[in-house]
């Protein structure tokens, strides 16, 4: 309470100082309680900081043995990163495989003619379709830029637009489909089609198509050298084919080749479509294996004239039948029956993944994806399936829409790759269904075969271990400061700022009589220094073997007082070597399953997590510490409030008493002065 001050009255008797000195004595219990409250708060802050450090260590520890542990991370490399890369999931196998990118997936990208910068796009309902998606814009008319902005604003992942400065005062408008793949062609409808024609982006064309490959005169003997052909397995031959009602039936081990007309193979807008249906039969190898070995006699030759084919009769050796048991012939089953034959003699498989469904399947090929194609070969190497192949229909894909682009920067096409020699077609450049747990990212055509390698991401494992060591040392440093009263502990932490050192100095030895911290430190050191027999063949069984040690002499053998504090040290060279050669052992060192129930129940990280959790969990040791201090803080605050009220009352009481005393003394002084003045006055009168 502030000193009492009355205007016109001086503190002649120093009553304010007297009251203040008396109150200082009275405030001793309050001051003591306030200091105690500050100590409680400092202790609570320290326990919370310990909890934060241990929680951070526990989180880092969990990552070393959980499902997301870094030892399962995979890293991929590509020898042709500009053309193809890959991303591997944690479940991917360590492997290398070869990939050729024939072409990446593309989208339609069409330009207009050069238009005046002042050109106005007419009003109307503009509809753009890409695959099954559609974008419709109710356009009120405006400039090219406004129209381009309107498309991009409503794009919704369907189409996008860009305005390009072509020449002085001229601009061209680019409209691009966003989804890739040959099935995602950009289609114009309504005002969009009218504007595309008017701006010179597209031109009307007439639809046309032609068919071939379903006449005996068009079928020729297939050329083929079967590298892995079995003895006594029939050659693939046209003699096992027949033409009926515009379809070719290809019996087991039958085949033929059809040349593609020049008008088709030289037009990159052309497509080839056909159907095929497989029918299961009794496997011909059953008959072959039950037939005695006979001399192999080639099929009879045939002659053609005027569209008529005449076959020679089959020759007969007239030799006696053999009774020798023949060498068994294994059944053959393959979905690779259609091949694109190129002008340089090379071939590419035409994929038919659903061939054995026994349903009629449709196949569509873009000539632009098979540049240099000359013919299509059909080889039914199967021994238990016949094929029914339709005629080949050639059509102009652009003409089927009724228009064709005039200035196509790119046209919709599928990505085509060869994976280990197998040709694969996909509509997107991110292909995740070829190699298990791996996504192939196609960027461009490969100049030469790319090798994709999947390996362990050792850098991620190393970083996780370094982070773990750092978090562990931070936690141990905090425990050392709070549990020991040695200034050297702080001085050794040269990574601290001056402010951080000053703060820790105030906490030095704060809990040196509390054994909770020394216990957890001792338990953690025991866990880290123990050996773990994860398997009989394991090379790595202790932390020291991977270059991480906690002993006082460390790796160099020299003595250091700071190493007695329990900090971990890393021998980086030794750690790199262990990660290179024994990463599975390291993974098991931190966490492994001892009883086969697929649950981690042993290992350094597992035990540390369990130990730390007892301290940091809700209701754990540290929570109990802070909750106890919460109670003490509340009780102390209550006592302080009560003592402050008492001090206010006591000070008011003292000031009232001393004020009354001062008033009385002042009154007496005034009376004395009056008496003295009266006496002096009387004496002057008597004189």
């Amino acid at each position: 309470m502030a000193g009492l001050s009355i205007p016109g009255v001086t503190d002649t008797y120093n009553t304010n100082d007297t009251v203040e000195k008396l109150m200082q004595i009275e405030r001793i219990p309050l001051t003591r309680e306030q200091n105690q409250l500050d100590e409680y708060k400092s202790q609570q802050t320290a326990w919370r900081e310990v909890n934060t450090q241990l929680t951070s260590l526990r989180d880092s520890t969990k990552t070393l043995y959980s499902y997301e542990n870094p030892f399962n991370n995979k890293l991929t490399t590509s020898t042709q990163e500009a053309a193809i890369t890959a991303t591997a999931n944690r479940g991917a196998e360590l492997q290398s495989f070869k990939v050729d990118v024939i072409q990446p997936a593309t989208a339609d990208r069409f330009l207009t003619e050069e238009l005046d910068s002042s050109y106005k796009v007419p009003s109307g309902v503009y509809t753009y379709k890409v695959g099954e998606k559609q974008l419709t814009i109710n356009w009120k008319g405006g400039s090219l830029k406004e129209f381009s902005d309107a498309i991009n604003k409503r794009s919704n992942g369907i189409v996008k637009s860009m305005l390009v400065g072509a020449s002085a005062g001229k601009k061209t408008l680019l409209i691009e489909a966003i989804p890739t793949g040959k099935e995602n062609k950009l289609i114009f409808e309504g005002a969009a089609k009218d504007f595309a024609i008017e701006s010179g982006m597209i031109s009307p064309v007439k639809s046309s198509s032609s068919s071939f490959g379903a006449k005996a005169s068009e079928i020729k003997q297939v050329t083929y050298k079967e590298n892995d052909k079995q003895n006594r397995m029939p050659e693939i031959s046209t003699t096992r084919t027949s033409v009926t009602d515009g379809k070719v039936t290809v019996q087991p081990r039958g085949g033929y080749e059809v040349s593609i007309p020049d008008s088709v193979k030289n037009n990159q807008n052309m497509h080839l479509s056909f159907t095929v249906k497989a029918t299961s039969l009794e496997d011909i190898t059953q008959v072959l294996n039950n037939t005695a070995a006979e001399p192999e006699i080639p099929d009879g030759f045939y002659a053609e004239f005027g569209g008529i084919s005449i076959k020679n009769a089959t020759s007969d050796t007239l030799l006696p039948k053999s009774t020798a048991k023949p060498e068994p012939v294994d059944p053959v089953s393959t979905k690779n029956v259609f091949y694109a034959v190129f002008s340089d003699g090379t071939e590419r498989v035409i994929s038919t993944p659903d061939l054995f469904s026994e349903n009629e399947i449709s196949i569509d090929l873009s000539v632009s994806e098979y540049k240099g194609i000359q013919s299509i070969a059909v080889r039914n190497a199967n021994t238990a399936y016949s094929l029914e192949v339709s005629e080949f229909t050639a059509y102009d894909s652009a003409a089927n829409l009724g228009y064709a682009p005039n200035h196509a920067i790119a046209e919709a096409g599928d990505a085509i790759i060869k994976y280990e020699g197998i040709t694969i077609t996909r509509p997107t450049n991110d292909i995740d269904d070829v190699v298990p747990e791996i996504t192939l990212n196609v960027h461009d055509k490969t100049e030469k075969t790319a090798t994709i390698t999947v390996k362990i991401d050792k850098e991620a494992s190393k970083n996780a271990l370094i982070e773990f060591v750092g978090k562990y040392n931070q936690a141990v440093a905090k425990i050392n400061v709070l549990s020991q009263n040695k200034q050297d502990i702080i001085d050794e932490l040269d990574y601290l700022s001056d402010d951080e050192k000053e703060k820790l100095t105030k906490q030095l030895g704060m809990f040196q009589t509390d054994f909770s911290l020394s216990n957890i430190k001792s338990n953690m050191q025991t866990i880290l220094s123990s050996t773990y027999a994860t398997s009989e063949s394991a090379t790595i069984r202790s932390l020291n073997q991977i270059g991480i040690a906690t002993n006082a002499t460390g790796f160099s053998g020299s003595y250091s007082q700071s190493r007695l504090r329990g900090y971990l040290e890393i021998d980086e060279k030794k750690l790199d070597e262990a990660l290179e050669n024994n990463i599975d052992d390291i993974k098991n060192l931190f966490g492994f399953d001892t009883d086969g129930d697929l649950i981690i129940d042993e290992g350094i990280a597992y035990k540390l997590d369990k130990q730390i959790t007892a301290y940091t969990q809700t209701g754990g040791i540290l929570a109990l510490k802070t909750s106890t201090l919460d109670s003490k803080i509340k009780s102390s605050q209550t006592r302080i409030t009560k003592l402050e009220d008492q001090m206010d009352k006591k000070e008011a009481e003292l000031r009232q008493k001393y004020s009354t005393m001062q008033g009385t003394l002042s009154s007496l002084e005034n009376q004395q002065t009056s008496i003295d003045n009266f006496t002096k006055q009387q004496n002057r009168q008597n004189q």
Side-chain angles (χ1 to χ4, degrees):
M1 181 177 177
L4 181 65
S5 178
I6 303 174
V9 178
T10 59
D11 186 12
T12 307
Y13 303 102
N14 294 323
T15 55
N16 286 334
D17 290 342
T18 302
V19 170
E20 185 59 35
K21 290 176 180 178
L22 290 172
M23 286 306 301
Q24 286 178 359
I25 298 173
E26 294 289 339
R27 289 194 189 101
I28 289 176
L30 174 61
T31 302
R32 185 184 301 117
E33 193 63 43
Q34 288 174 332
N35 291 337
Q36 184 65 64
L37 176 61
D38 291 340
E39 185 176 350
Y40 288 153
K41 289 182 176 180
S42 297
Q43 290 178 355
Q44 189 179 59
T45 298
W47 282 121
R48 285 174 176 166
E49 289 174 353
V50 171
N51 185 74
T52 299
Q53 295 281 13
L54 289 177
T55 298
S56 180
L57 173 59
R58 185 193 64 184
D59 292 342
S60 178
T61 299
K62 276 184 176 294
T63 64
L64 295 178
Y65 80 94
S66 67
Y67 174 75
E68 298 296 329
N69 74 80
F71 308 112
N72 283 336
N73 287 356
K74 303 298 191 305
L75 191 66
T76 61
T77 59
S78 170
T79 57
Q80 297 280 308
E81 289 193 352
I84 184 168
T85 56
T87 53
N89 297 335
R90 296 167 58 81
E93 294 183 3
L94 303 181
Q95 58 184 302
S96 289
F97 53 87
K98 297 186 181 299
V99 179
D100 291 282
V101 178
I102 309 301
Q103 67 177 41
T106 52
D108 279 335
R109 302 181 68 199
F110 301 154
L111 275 172
T112 65
E113 299 280 1
E114 292 188 7
L115 305 172
D116 289 336
S117 298
S118 59
Y119 183 93
K120 299 296 182 182
V121 181
S123 61
V125 178
Y126 287 70
T127 300
Y128 299 94
K129 289 184 177 180
V130 180
E132 297 181 355
K133 297 180 179 180
Q134 175 176 307
L135 173 66
T136 299
I137 301 174
N138 192 359
W139 176 244
K140 296 181 179 179
S143 67
L144 287 168
K145 184 179 185 308
E146 291 170 338
F147 183 65
S148 179
D149 291 343
I151 291 176
N152 292 330
K153 185 177 180 180
R154 299 168 177 81
S155 171
N156 199 26
I158 301 172
V159 296
K160 61 182 179 181
S161 175
M162 182 171 65
L163 198 60
V164 182
S167 57
K170 299 284 186 177
K171 293 186 181 296
T172 58
L173 181 69
L174 171 69
I175 297 182
E176 175 182 358
I178 295 177
T180 57
K182 67 180 182 181
E183 298 299 327
N184 293 317
K185 298 192 72 65
L186 177 58
I187 299 174
F188 304 88
E189 291 185 355
K193 182 177 180 180
D194 296 337
F195 168 66
I197 294 173
E198 179 185 325
S199 62
M201 182 176 287
I202 61 175
S203 296
V205 294
K206 294 181 179 180
S207 178
S208 63
S209 63
S210 60
S211 299
F212 62 95
K215 297 178 182 178
S217 59
E218 296 174 327
I219 291 176
K220 62 181 180 179
Q221 176 64 37
V222 65
T223 56
Y224 181 55
K225 183 177 181 181
E226 197 169 3
N227 296 325
D228 54 353
K229 180 178 176 294
Q230 305 175 65
N231 290 332
R232 302 197 308 118
M233 179 68 76
E235 295 283 350
I236 296 177
S237 171
T238 54
T239 59
R240 298 181 186 88
T241 63
S242 59
V243 180
T244 306
D245 298 332
K247 291 189 176 181
V248 182
T249 300
V250 187
Q251 298 296 335
R253 307 298 296 175
Y256 66 98
E257 189 170 340
V258 176
S259 297
I260 299 175
D262 292 342
S263 60
V264 175
K265 64 186 180 185
N266 295 330
N267 185 345
Q268 297 303 300
N269 290 327
M270 297 300 286
H271 280 239
L272 296 175
S273 67
F274 61 97
T275 64
V276 60
K277 180 180 180 181
T279 303
S280 61
L281 305 171
E282 181 181 356
D283 201 303
I284 64 172
T285 58
Q286 295 181 18
V287 176
L288 292 173
N289 290 331
N290 292 327
T291 303
E294 299 289 342
E296 291 189 11
I297 301 173
D299 293 329
F301 293 101
Y302 67 95
E304 291 185 5
F305 183 76
I308 300 174
S309 296
I310 301 175
K311 297 181 181 179
N312 289 334
T314 305
S315 301
D316 191 347
T317 64
L318 302 178
L319 295 175
K321 302 295 183 182
S322 172
T323 59
K325 188 176 180 180
E327 181 181 347
V329 181
D330 296 328
V332 176
S333 177
T334 176
K335 295 179 180 179
N336 295 335
V337 296
F338 293 96
Y339 298 82
V341 182
F342 298 94
S343 55
D344 60 1
T346 59
E347 296 183 353
R348 196 166 94 204
V349 175
I350 299 171
S351 178
T352 52
D354 301 323
L355 182 66
F356 296 149
S357 66
E358 299 203 19
N359 296 321
E360 187 174 74
I361 61 174
S362 298
I363 300 169
D364 188 275
L365 311 177
S366 172
V367 172
S368 63
E369 295 174 4
Y370 294 83
K371 294 179 180 179
I373 189 171
Q374 294 294 312
S375 60
I376 293 179
V378 182
R379 304 190 191 101
N380 185 16
N382 293 287
T383 56
Y385 283 92
S386 68
L387 306 177
E388 187 177 73
V389 184
S390 73
E391 62 184 1
F392 295 89
T393 299
Y395 67 92
D396 189 324
S397 58
N400 278 6
L401 295 175
Y403 54 80
N406 293 325
H407 308 284
I409 296 178
E411 294 192 43
D414 290 341
I416 303 175
I417 65 171
K418 275 189 178 181
Y419 166 69
E420 295 291 352
I422 302 171
T423 302
I424 295 168
T425 302
R426 293 292 185 272
T428 176
N429 286 318
D430 297 322
I431 305 173
D432 60 4
D433 59 350
V434 172
V435 188
E437 300 292 333
I438 294 176
T439 299
L440 300 176
N441 310 117
V442 177
H443 310 297
D444 202 351
K445 181 179 179 180
T446 49
E447 296 296 330
K448 56 183 179 179
T449 301
T451 300
I452 306 292
T453 303
V454 182
K455 56 186 178 180
I456 292 291
D457 188 354
K458 293 187 289 291
E459 197 65 28
S461 300
K462 181 179 178 179
N463 291 338
L465 290 172
I466 291 174
E467 181 183 357
F468 161 71
V469 170
K471 296 289 179 65
Y472 177 86
N473 287 343
Q474 288 176 352
V476 170
K478 192 68 175 181
I479 291 172
N480 288 339
V481 168
L482 294 172
S483 60
Q484 301 177 50
N485 192 11
K486 299 177 181 178
Q487 184 62 38
D488 290 346
I489 294 173
I490 298 176
D491 295 339
E492 292 164 0
L493 305 177
D494 52 10
Y495 56 85
L496 297 176
S497 65
D498 292 340
D499 291 340
E500 289 172 331
K501 287 184 177 180
E502 182 180 353
K503 178 182 176 181
L504 288 180
T505 300
K506 294 177 182 178
Q507 295 179 339
L508 194 62
M510 182 178 286
F511 301 135
Q512 58 184 332
T513 59
D514 191 315
F515 294 105
S516 300
L517 295 178
S518 58
N519 284 342
I520 189 173
K521 177 183 173 183
S522 176
N523 292 338
M524 290 194 301
Q525 287 178 322
T526 299
I527 291 170
L528 293 173
S529 60
S530 299
T531 59
Y532 298 85
T534 59
S535 68
E536 293 182 359
S537 61
T539 303
I540 303 295
R541 299 191 177 194
S542 67
L543 199 60
N544 183 63
Q545 288 180 282
I546 67 171
I548 301 176
T550 185
N551 59 315
T553 56
F555 305 103
S556 63
S558 61
Y559 173 81
S560 172
Q561 179 66 33
S562 64
R563 288 176 177 148
L564 292 173
R565 315 289 188 203
Y567 301 123
L568 290 175
E569 300 173 346
I570 298 177
D571 182 336
E572 191 169 356
K573 182 179 179 181
K574 194 172 182 179
L575 177 59
D576 288 339
E577 183 180 347
L579 288 171
E580 181 69 33
N581 301 316
N582 303 101
I583 195 161
D584 286 337
D585 284 356
I586 296 174
K587 172 188 172 183
N588 291 333
L589 179 65
F590 285 93
F592 66 98
D593 172 23
T594 61
D595 52 15
D597 62 354
L598 303 181
I599 298 175
I600 300 298
D601 54 14
E602 187 60 285
I604 292 174
Y606 169 79
K607 286 192 170 183
L608 275 179
D609 179 25
K610 192 174 180 180
Q611 177 69 36
I612 297 171
T613 299
Y615 279 74
T616 59
Q617 67 184 348
T618 302
I621 295 172
L622 296 181
L624 181 61
K625 298 282 187 185
T626 54
S627 63
T628 299
L629 285 170
D630 272 336
S631 299
K632 290 182 178 181
I633 288 171
K634 289 178 182 177
S635 297
S636 180
Q637 289 173 334
T638 300
R639 288 194 295 272
I640 288 172
T641 301
K642 184 177 180 181
L643 287 171
E644 286 176 340
D645 290 342
Q646 291 176 357
M647 294 303 100
D648 288 343
K649 291 178 181 179
K650 185 66 176 178
E651 185 175 1
E653 180 183 339
L654 288 173
R655 291 192 181 281
Q656 179 64 38
K657 288 181 179 180
Y658 277 90
S659 177
T660 301
M661 180 193 71
Q662 181 171 322
T664 301
L665 290 174
S666 296
S667 177
L668 289 175
E669 285 182 354
N670 291 334
Q671 291 178 12
Q672 180 64 43
T673 301
S674 298
I675 292 171
D676 289 342
N677 291 336
F678 178 76
T679 300
K680 290 178 181 179
Q681 183 179 6
Q682 290 298 319
N683 289 336
R684 283 195 298 269
Q685 290 178 355
N686 291 331
Q687 291 176 356

